[in-house]
Amino acid sequence: MSIERPERYRSFILTGAPGCGKGTQGAILGEIPRFYHFAMGDAFRSLDTRTEIGQEFVKYSSAGQLVPDEVTIRLFLSQLDGRATTHDFKPDIDALVLDGVPRNRKQAELLSEHLDVLHIFHLSCPDRDELITRLRKRALKSGRLDDASEEVIHHRIRTYEAETKELFDYYPDTIRTVINADQPPVKVLHDILNVVVNEQEWQHLTLPV
Ligand code: ADP
């Protein structure tokens, strides 16, 4: 049986500063049937560092910088295409939970013909000291190079602040909800799900037989 792919992937976007809990929420949501979690940072980290793109990722991420937009979007689309080909991601019935992509206006523009954005969740954690504490803890657990240096952490937070404003301006305000990410993870999840279950587009999605 051949399954038709939709023209644009239905997507929920998670945005938030490094350490705000995007990855935690994305992973939980991705466990729910008909949701597919895609984390751009994980896609980059899974690259073979001997390749050109793997080298580029190491260069930019270790300085706390974003990888250039075209390279990022090319990787994003080819990864999704591969995962759809192996039926891990089922674009006809799954909604994407995008964690860390698109991250700025340019990426949103490059993805406009590929994504049908249902909603954007802004995981807000205005307490920057709290973010830094979380990232330091993560550095101990995950051994991520970009979490280990205070200077790199500060740079990532500044980059995030500059890029996000433009990203928000690109999409209509009506599809964006601010979520208080200073709450315990279960409450953050509750607030996100509260919006998702009321999403009109979502109601008539067919379940597989
Ligand atoms: P965090 O949000 O905690 O900084 P991520 O795992 O999302 O961590 O990203 C790690 C690194 O991967 C970023 O600092 C950047 O170098 C690269 N990266 C991830 N997503 C993108 C993106 N959308 N565009 C460009 N670079 C990205």
Side-chain angles (χ1 to χ4, degrees), residues 65-111:
Q65 291 166 4
L66 294 183
V67 178
D69 298 324
E70 275 82 5
V71 177
T72 300
I73 298 308
R74 218 178 307 130
L75 175 68
F76 170 77
L77 291 173
S78 71
Q79 286 253 338
L80 272 187
D81 191 47
R83 296 178 198 197
T85 301
T86 56
H87 305 292
D88 182 25
F89 164 49
K90 305 171 193 68
D92 56 325
I93 52 171
D94 289 345
L96 288 169
V97 177
L98 298 178
D99 160 0
V101 67
R103 207 132 161 159
N104 56 26
R105 188 187 174 97
K106 177 74 190 168
Q107 293 183 8
E109 282 169 4
L110 290 169
L111 287 175

Short mmCIF file of all heavy atoms in Angstrom, two decimals, residues 65-111:
data_model
loop_
_atom_site.label_atom_id
_atom_site.label_comp_id
_atom_site.label_asym_id
_atom_site.label_seq_id
_atom_site.Cartn_x
_atom_site.Cartn_y
_atom_site.Cartn_z
N GLN A 65 27.22 29.03 19.13
CA GLN A 65 26.55 29.68 17.97
C GLN A 65 25.66 28.71 17.23
O GLN A 65 25.86 27.49 17.30
CB GLN A 65 27.62 30.19 17.00
CG GLN A 65 28.39 31.35 17.54
CD GLN A 65 29.65 31.62 16.73
OE1 GLN A 65 29.90 30.98 15.72
NE2 GLN A 65 30.44 32.56 17.19
N LEU A 66 24.71 29.28 16.48
CA LEU A 66 23.84 28.45 15.66
C LEU A 66 24.59 28.03 14.39
O LEU A 66 25.39 28.79 13.85
CB LEU A 66 22.58 29.23 15.24
CG LEU A 66 21.61 29.61 16.36
CD1 LEU A 66 20.40 30.31 15.76
CD2 LEU A 66 21.18 28.39 17.17
N VAL A 67 24.29 26.84 13.93
CA VAL A 67 24.83 26.36 12.65
C VAL A 67 24.11 27.18 11.56
O VAL A 67 22.94 27.55 11.74
CB VAL A 67 24.53 24.84 12.51
CG1 VAL A 67 25.02 24.31 11.18
CG2 VAL A 67 25.13 24.06 13.68
N PRO A 68 24.78 27.51 10.43
CA PRO A 68 24.12 28.33 9.40
C PRO A 68 22.76 27.74 8.98
O PRO A 68 22.58 26.52 8.94
CB PRO A 68 25.12 28.32 8.25
CG PRO A 68 26.44 28.11 8.91
CD PRO A 68 26.18 27.23 10.10
N ASP A 69 21.84 28.64 8.68
CA ASP A 69 20.44 28.26 8.44
C ASP A 69 20.24 27.25 7.31
O ASP A 69 19.51 26.28 7.48
CB ASP A 69 19.60 29.52 8.16
CG ASP A 69 19.61 30.46 9.35
OD1 ASP A 69 19.61 29.96 10.49
OD2 ASP A 69 19.64 31.69 9.13
N GLU A 70 20.89 27.48 6.17
CA GLU A 70 20.66 26.57 5.03
C GLU A 70 21.10 25.14 5.36
O GLU A 70 20.42 24.18 5.04
CB GLU A 70 21.40 27.05 3.76
CG GLU A 70 20.62 28.07 2.94
CD GLU A 70 20.78 29.49 3.49
OE1 GLU A 70 21.56 29.65 4.45
OE2 GLU A 70 20.10 30.40 2.98
N VAL A 71 22.27 25.05 6.01
CA VAL A 71 22.80 23.72 6.38
C VAL A 71 21.83 23.04 7.34
O VAL A 71 21.50 21.85 7.21
CB VAL A 71 24.18 23.90 7.09
CG1 VAL A 71 24.74 22.55 7.54
CG2 VAL A 71 25.15 24.62 6.19
N THR A 72 21.34 23.81 8.31
CA THR A 72 20.43 23.27 9.32
C THR A 72 19.15 22.76 8.69
O THR A 72 18.71 21.64 8.95
CB THR A 72 20.08 24.39 10.34
OG1 THR A 72 21.29 24.82 10.94
CG2 THR A 72 19.13 23.90 11.40
N ILE A 73 18.56 23.56 7.82
CA ILE A 73 17.27 23.17 7.24
C ILE A 73 17.43 22.00 6.28
O ILE A 73 16.58 21.11 6.22
CB ILE A 73 16.58 24.39 6.56
CG1 ILE A 73 16.31 25.48 7.63
CG2 ILE A 73 15.29 24.00 5.83
CD1 ILE A 73 15.56 25.00 8.87
N ARG A 74 18.57 21.97 5.58
CA ARG A 74 18.82 20.82 4.70
C ARG A 74 18.88 19.53 5.52
O ARG A 74 18.29 18.52 5.18
CB ARG A 74 20.13 21.03 3.92
CG ARG A 74 20.04 20.53 2.51
CD ARG A 74 21.31 20.77 1.71
NE ARG A 74 21.76 22.15 1.74
CZ ARG A 74 23.00 22.55 2.03
NH1 ARG A 74 23.93 21.68 2.32
NH2 ARG A 74 23.32 23.83 2.03
N LEU A 75 19.58 19.60 6.65
CA LEU A 75 19.69 18.41 7.51
C LEU A 75 18.31 18.04 8.07
O LEU A 75 17.92 16.87 8.07
CB LEU A 75 20.68 18.66 8.67
CG LEU A 75 20.77 17.52 9.69
CD1 LEU A 75 21.42 16.28 9.06
CD2 LEU A 75 21.59 17.94 10.92
N PHE A 76 17.59 19.04 8.51
CA PHE A 76 16.25 18.81 9.07
C PHE A 76 15.36 18.07 8.06
O PHE A 76 14.77 17.03 8.37
CB PHE A 76 15.64 20.18 9.43
CG PHE A 76 14.18 20.12 9.81
CD1 PHE A 76 13.79 19.68 11.07
CD2 PHE A 76 13.20 20.53 8.92
CE1 PHE A 76 12.44 19.63 11.42
CE2 PHE A 76 11.85 20.48 9.27
CZ PHE A 76 11.48 20.03 10.52
N LEU A 77 15.31 18.59 6.83
CA LEU A 77 14.41 17.99 5.83
C LEU A 77 14.88 16.60 5.43
O LEU A 77 14.06 15.69 5.25
CB LEU A 77 14.30 18.91 4.60
CG LEU A 77 13.56 20.23 4.86
CD1 LEU A 77 13.66 21.15 3.64
CD2 LEU A 77 12.08 19.98 5.20
N SER A 78 16.20 16.43 5.32
CA SER A 78 16.65 15.10 4.89
C SER A 78 16.44 14.07 6.00
O SER A 78 16.09 12.93 5.74
CB SER A 78 18.10 15.12 4.40
OG SER A 78 18.96 15.31 5.48
N GLN A 79 16.59 14.49 7.25
CA GLN A 79 16.34 13.56 8.37
C GLN A 79 14.87 13.16 8.41
O GLN A 79 14.54 12.00 8.58
CB GLN A 79 16.71 14.22 9.69
CG GLN A 79 18.20 14.32 9.90
CD GLN A 79 18.69 13.33 10.95
OE1 GLN A 79 17.93 12.87 11.78
NE2 GLN A 79 19.96 13.02 10.89
N LEU A 80 14.00 14.14 8.25
CA LEU A 80 12.56 13.83 8.30
C LEU A 80 12.16 12.93 7.15
O LEU A 80 11.37 12.00 7.31
CB LEU A 80 11.74 15.12 8.22
CG LEU A 80 11.44 15.81 9.53
CD1 LEU A 80 10.49 16.95 9.28
CD2 LEU A 80 10.86 14.85 10.57
N ASP A 81 12.74 13.21 5.97
CA ASP A 81 12.45 12.40 4.81
C ASP A 81 12.88 10.96 5.06
O ASP A 81 12.13 10.01 4.80
CB ASP A 81 13.20 13.01 3.61
CG ASP A 81 12.75 12.39 2.33
OD1 ASP A 81 11.53 12.28 2.14
OD2 ASP A 81 13.61 11.97 1.53
N GLY A 82 14.07 10.80 5.62
CA GLY A 82 14.57 9.45 5.92
C GLY A 82 13.68 8.73 6.93
O GLY A 82 13.35 7.55 6.76
N ARG A 83 13.26 9.46 7.95
CA ARG A 83 12.43 8.83 8.98
C ARG A 83 11.04 8.50 8.46
O ARG A 83 10.40 7.57 8.92
CB ARG A 83 12.35 9.74 10.20
CG ARG A 83 13.73 9.94 10.86
CD ARG A 83 13.61 10.87 12.03
NE ARG A 83 14.90 11.42 12.43
CZ ARG A 83 15.11 12.00 13.60
NH1 ARG A 83 14.12 12.09 14.48
NH2 ARG A 83 16.29 12.50 13.90
N ALA A 84 10.58 9.30 7.48
CA ALA A 84 9.27 9.00 6.87
C ALA A 84 9.41 7.78 5.95
O ALA A 84 8.52 6.94 5.87
CB ALA A 84 8.76 10.20 6.10
N THR A 85 10.54 7.68 5.27
CA THR A 85 10.76 6.56 4.36
C THR A 85 10.79 5.23 5.13
O THR A 85 10.30 4.22 4.65
CB THR A 85 12.08 6.77 3.57
OG1 THR A 85 11.94 8.00 2.87
CG2 THR A 85 12.36 5.65 2.60
N THR A 86 11.34 5.27 6.34
CA THR A 86 11.39 4.03 7.14
C THR A 86 10.11 3.87 8.00
O THR A 86 10.03 2.96 8.82
CB THR A 86 12.61 4.03 8.07
OG1 THR A 86 12.56 5.22 8.87
CG2 THR A 86 13.92 3.99 7.30
N HIS A 87 9.18 4.81 7.84
CA HIS A 87 7.89 4.79 8.56
C HIS A 87 8.02 4.93 10.07
O HIS A 87 7.14 4.54 10.83
CB HIS A 87 7.07 3.52 8.22
CG HIS A 87 6.86 3.36 6.76
ND1 HIS A 87 6.09 4.22 6.02
CD2 HIS A 87 7.38 2.47 5.89
CE1 HIS A 87 6.13 3.87 4.74
NE2 HIS A 87 6.91 2.81 4.64
N ASP A 88 9.14 5.46 10.50
CA ASP A 88 9.31 5.78 11.91
C ASP A 88 8.42 7.01 12.18
O ASP A 88 7.60 7.04 13.10
CB ASP A 88 10.80 6.09 12.13
CG ASP A 88 11.12 6.39 13.57
OD1 ASP A 88 10.36 5.92 14.44
OD2 ASP A 88 12.12 7.09 13.82
N PHE A 89 8.56 8.00 11.32
CA PHE A 89 7.68 9.17 11.32
C PHE A 89 6.63 8.94 10.23
O PHE A 89 6.99 8.62 9.10
CB PHE A 89 8.52 10.42 11.04
CG PHE A 89 7.73 11.64 10.64
CD1 PHE A 89 6.62 12.06 11.36
CD2 PHE A 89 8.13 12.40 9.54
CE1 PHE A 89 5.89 13.19 10.99
CE2 PHE A 89 7.42 13.53 9.16
CZ PHE A 89 6.30 13.92 9.89
N LYS A 90 5.34 9.09 10.61
CA LYS A 90 4.25 8.85 9.64
C LYS A 90 3.55 10.17 9.36
O LYS A 90 2.64 10.57 10.09
CB LYS A 90 3.25 7.84 10.23
CG LYS A 90 3.91 6.54 10.66
CD LYS A 90 2.95 5.66 11.42
CE LYS A 90 3.67 4.53 12.11
NZ LYS A 90 4.55 5.00 13.23
N PRO A 91 4.03 10.89 8.34
CA PRO A 91 3.54 12.26 8.12
C PRO A 91 2.04 12.37 7.88
O PRO A 91 1.46 13.42 8.13
CB PRO A 91 4.31 12.74 6.89
CG PRO A 91 5.19 11.66 6.48
CD PRO A 91 5.01 10.47 7.34
N ASP A 92 1.40 11.28 7.41
CA ASP A 92 -0.05 11.39 7.15
C ASP A 92 -0.85 11.39 8.45
O ASP A 92 -1.95 11.92 8.50
CB ASP A 92 -0.52 10.27 6.22
CG ASP A 92 -0.20 8.87 6.74
OD1 ASP A 92 0.86 8.70 7.37
OD2 ASP A 92 -1.02 7.96 6.52
N ILE A 93 -0.31 10.79 9.52
CA ILE A 93 -1.09 10.72 10.77
C ILE A 93 -0.37 11.33 11.97
O ILE A 93 -0.99 11.59 13.00
CB ILE A 93 -1.51 9.27 11.11
CG1 ILE A 93 -0.30 8.32 11.08
CG2 ILE A 93 -2.61 8.79 10.18
CD1 ILE A 93 -0.61 6.92 11.61
N ASP A 94 0.95 11.53 11.87
CA ASP A 94 1.68 12.09 13.02
C ASP A 94 1.78 13.61 12.93
O ASP A 94 1.94 14.15 11.84
CB ASP A 94 3.12 11.55 13.06
CG ASP A 94 3.19 10.08 13.44
OD1 ASP A 94 2.19 9.54 13.96
OD2 ASP A 94 4.26 9.47 13.25
N ALA A 95 1.75 14.25 14.09
CA ALA A 95 2.07 15.69 14.14
C ALA A 95 3.46 15.81 14.73
O ALA A 95 3.81 15.11 15.69
CB ALA A 95 1.07 16.43 15.02
N LEU A 96 4.25 16.68 14.13
CA LEU A 96 5.61 16.87 14.63
C LEU A 96 5.60 17.73 15.89
O LEU A 96 4.83 18.69 15.98
CB LEU A 96 6.45 17.59 13.57
CG LEU A 96 6.85 16.79 12.33
CD1 LEU A 96 7.44 17.74 11.29
CD2 LEU A 96 7.86 15.71 12.72
N VAL A 97 6.47 17.38 16.82
CA VAL A 97 6.73 18.25 17.97
C VAL A 97 8.17 18.71 17.75
O VAL A 97 9.12 17.94 17.93
CB VAL A 97 6.62 17.47 19.30
CG1 VAL A 97 6.98 18.38 20.47
CG2 VAL A 97 5.21 16.91 19.48
N LEU A 98 8.31 19.92 17.28
CA LEU A 98 9.63 20.41 16.88
C LEU A 98 10.31 21.13 18.04
O LEU A 98 9.75 22.08 18.61
CB LEU A 98 9.50 21.35 15.68
CG LEU A 98 8.93 20.71 14.42
CD1 LEU A 98 8.80 21.73 13.31
CD2 LEU A 98 9.79 19.53 13.98
N ASP A 99 11.49 20.65 18.35
CA ASP A 99 12.23 21.16 19.51
C ASP A 99 13.52 21.79 18.99
O ASP A 99 14.41 21.09 18.51
CB ASP A 99 12.41 19.93 20.40
CG ASP A 99 13.50 20.00 21.44
OD1 ASP A 99 14.19 21.02 21.51
OD2 ASP A 99 13.64 19.01 22.16
N GLY A 100 13.52 23.12 18.96
CA GLY A 100 14.73 23.82 18.53
C GLY A 100 14.81 24.10 17.04
O GLY A 100 15.88 24.49 16.56
N VAL A 101 13.75 23.97 16.32
CA VAL A 101 13.72 24.29 14.89
C VAL A 101 12.27 24.54 14.47
O VAL A 101 11.39 23.80 14.92
CB VAL A 101 14.36 23.16 14.05
CG1 VAL A 101 13.58 21.85 14.07
CG2 VAL A 101 14.63 23.60 12.63
N PRO A 102 11.94 25.58 13.71
CA PRO A 102 12.83 26.66 13.30
C PRO A 102 13.22 27.51 14.51
O PRO A 102 12.46 27.62 15.46
CB PRO A 102 11.98 27.46 12.31
CG PRO A 102 10.56 27.17 12.71
CD PRO A 102 10.56 25.77 13.25
N ARG A 103 14.39 28.11 14.43
CA ARG A 103 14.93 28.84 15.57
C ARG A 103 15.02 30.33 15.31
O ARG A 103 15.31 31.11 16.20
CB ARG A 103 16.32 28.31 15.83
CG ARG A 103 16.78 28.42 17.24
CD ARG A 103 17.33 27.09 17.62
NE ARG A 103 18.19 27.12 18.76
CZ ARG A 103 18.43 26.01 19.46
NH1 ARG A 103 17.87 24.88 19.16
NH2 ARG A 103 19.23 26.07 20.47
N ASN A 104 14.85 30.73 14.07
CA ASN A 104 14.88 32.17 13.76
C ASN A 104 14.00 32.40 12.52
O ASN A 104 13.45 31.46 11.95
CB ASN A 104 16.32 32.65 13.53
CG ASN A 104 17.02 31.86 12.44
OD1 ASN A 104 16.36 31.30 11.56
ND2 ASN A 104 18.34 31.80 12.48
N ARG A 105 13.93 33.65 12.13
CA ARG A 105 13.02 34.00 11.03
C ARG A 105 13.42 33.34 9.73
O ARG A 105 12.58 32.81 9.00
CB ARG A 105 13.01 35.54 10.88
CG ARG A 105 11.98 36.00 9.92
CD ARG A 105 12.05 37.47 9.61
NE ARG A 105 11.08 37.74 8.58
CZ ARG A 105 9.85 38.19 8.82
NH1 ARG A 105 9.48 38.49 10.03
NH2 ARG A 105 9.01 38.37 7.83
N LYS A 106 14.70 33.35 9.45
CA LYS A 106 15.18 32.78 8.18
C LYS A 106 14.80 31.30 8.08
O LYS A 106 14.33 30.82 7.04
CB LYS A 106 16.71 32.95 8.11
CG LYS A 106 17.36 32.35 6.91
CD LYS A 106 17.10 33.17 5.66
CE LYS A 106 17.57 32.41 4.44
NZ LYS A 106 17.11 32.98 3.21
N GLN A 107 14.98 30.57 9.20
CA GLN A 107 14.63 29.14 9.18
C GLN A 107 13.12 28.97 9.00
O GLN A 107 12.67 28.07 8.29
CB GLN A 107 15.09 28.47 10.47
CG GLN A 107 16.61 28.42 10.60
CD GLN A 107 17.12 27.69 11.83
OE1 GLN A 107 16.35 27.06 12.55
NE2 GLN A 107 18.42 27.77 12.06
N ALA A 108 12.35 29.84 9.63
CA ALA A 108 10.89 29.76 9.48
C ALA A 108 10.51 30.00 8.02
O ALA A 108 9.64 29.32 7.46
CB ALA A 108 10.22 30.79 10.39
N GLU A 109 11.18 30.95 7.37
CA GLU A 109 10.90 31.23 5.96
C GLU A 109 11.25 30.02 5.09
O GLU A 109 10.48 29.61 4.23
CB GLU A 109 11.71 32.44 5.49
CG GLU A 109 11.11 33.76 5.94
CD GLU A 109 12.04 34.94 5.71
OE1 GLU A 109 13.14 34.77 5.13
OE2 GLU A 109 11.67 36.05 6.14
N LEU A 110 12.43 29.44 5.36
CA LEU A 110 12.86 28.29 4.56
C LEU A 110 11.91 27.11 4.73
O LEU A 110 11.78 26.27 3.85
CB LEU A 110 14.29 27.87 4.95
CG LEU A 110 15.42 28.82 4.55
CD1 LEU A 110 16.73 28.44 5.23
CD2 LEU A 110 15.60 28.80 3.03
N LEU A 111 11.23 27.06 5.88
CA LEU A 111 10.35 25.92 6.15
C LEU A 111 8.89 26.20 5.82
O LEU A 111 8.06 25.29 5.95
CB LEU A 111 10.47 25.52 7.63
CG LEU A 111 11.77 24.81 7.99
CD1 LEU A 111 11.86 24.56 9.48
CD2 LEU A 111 11.89 23.50 7.22
#
